Amino acid sequence: MSAYTKPIIRFGLVTPAIFNCVLLAGVAAGTAKLTSVRAEKELRYDEETKRIAGMKVLEARIAPRRKAFEDQKKMLGADPGQLYTKILDTALPRYKDIELERSSLIFPQDRGKVAKSVKCDVIRVKASYQGGIGPMQESLLQVESLMPQAMLEELKITRKSDLLMKRPDYLVIDTTHACWKAGEARP
């Protein structure tokens, strides 16, 4: 080897080869990093598009029911005593007097068993009915499905017979509901 070949090999071949290998390793590392960042962003994008598609499906399912939700909000904000009476007045005319008849409807002033532990305004409704158990169950179902804030506090069923009224056997049903007004808290 001559005096010229050693520096030529060292600086002409080895140094550029090492530089090119380092450069190639840097490019490979950068490409791997960019590929992982791209894959992560594509995954996030796919998740976001699926989430948006799911939200559109939910919105399409909920949109027709929005009116009913607004009606429920109004119902929860209404006076429970008047609402209870209104529901019963629409449910009871479907039955004949012998099937189901409301004999009394009072609003006691005491808080009752359930209302003592509740921190909002509660109205209690005591109602008495005469008739059969089937129509009574249907009317209670009507009240409790249209009034989510009504809770049956007490139910008492007794059997009576009244030969003067030409009712040999009928039931006397006493119910007590605790109804609260949504959104009002007691101090």
Side-chain angles (χ1 to χ4, degrees), residues 9-153:
I9 291 174
R10 188 181 295 157
F11 294 110
L13 294 176
V14 174
T15 305
I18 291 173
F19 178 74
N20 285 336
C21 287
V22 170
L23 186 62
L24 186 61
V27 168
T31 305
K33 176 70 174 169
L34 288 176
T35 304
S36 68
V37 168
R38 180 184 173 108
E40 182 181 336
K41 288 189 177 188
E42 284 178 349
L43 180 66
R44 285 185 184 173
Y45 177 76
D46 289 341
E47 288 175 358
E48 184 69 17
T49 54
K50 287 177 185 176
R51 188 181 67 81
I52 290 173
M55 285 175 29
K56 287 180 181 178
V57 168
L58 284 175
E59 180 65 28
R61 201 180 314 159
I62 290 173
R65 299 179 189 166
R66 194 162 274 137
K67 175 75 171 123
F69 292 149
E70 293 299 322
D71 292 344
Q72 285 290 329
K73 280 184 182 177
K74 287 179 187 176
M75 192 177 293
L76 287 172
D79 181 32
Q82 290 178 353
L83 186 59
Y84 187 92
T85 307
K86 183 180 175 183
I87 292 170
L88 279 181
D89 288 345
T90 57
L92 290 177
R94 292 187 292 168
Y95 306 108
K96 299 175 187 171
D97 287 342
I98 197 164
E99 292 176 335
L100 185 66
E101 178 181 14
R102 182 174 59 201
S103 55
S104 72
L105 181 69
I106 58 173
F107 300 96
Q109 297 299 320
D110 62 328
R111 290 200 49 92
K113 299 171 190 170
V114 174
K116 288 179 184 175
S117 61
V118 178
K119 292 184 179 181
C120 62
D121 289 333
V122 176
I123 294 176
R124 292 181 66 220
V125 181
K126 282 191 173 191
S128 294
Y129 305 91
Q130 297 176 1
I133 193 74
M136 179 60 210
Q137 287 176 332
E138 288 177 8
S139 64
L140 278 178
L141 175 69
Q142 186 80 15
V143 167
E144 291 175 0
S145 63
L146 291 176
M147 276 187 78
Q149 73 268 37
M151 186 167 132
L152 186 64
E153 188 177 306

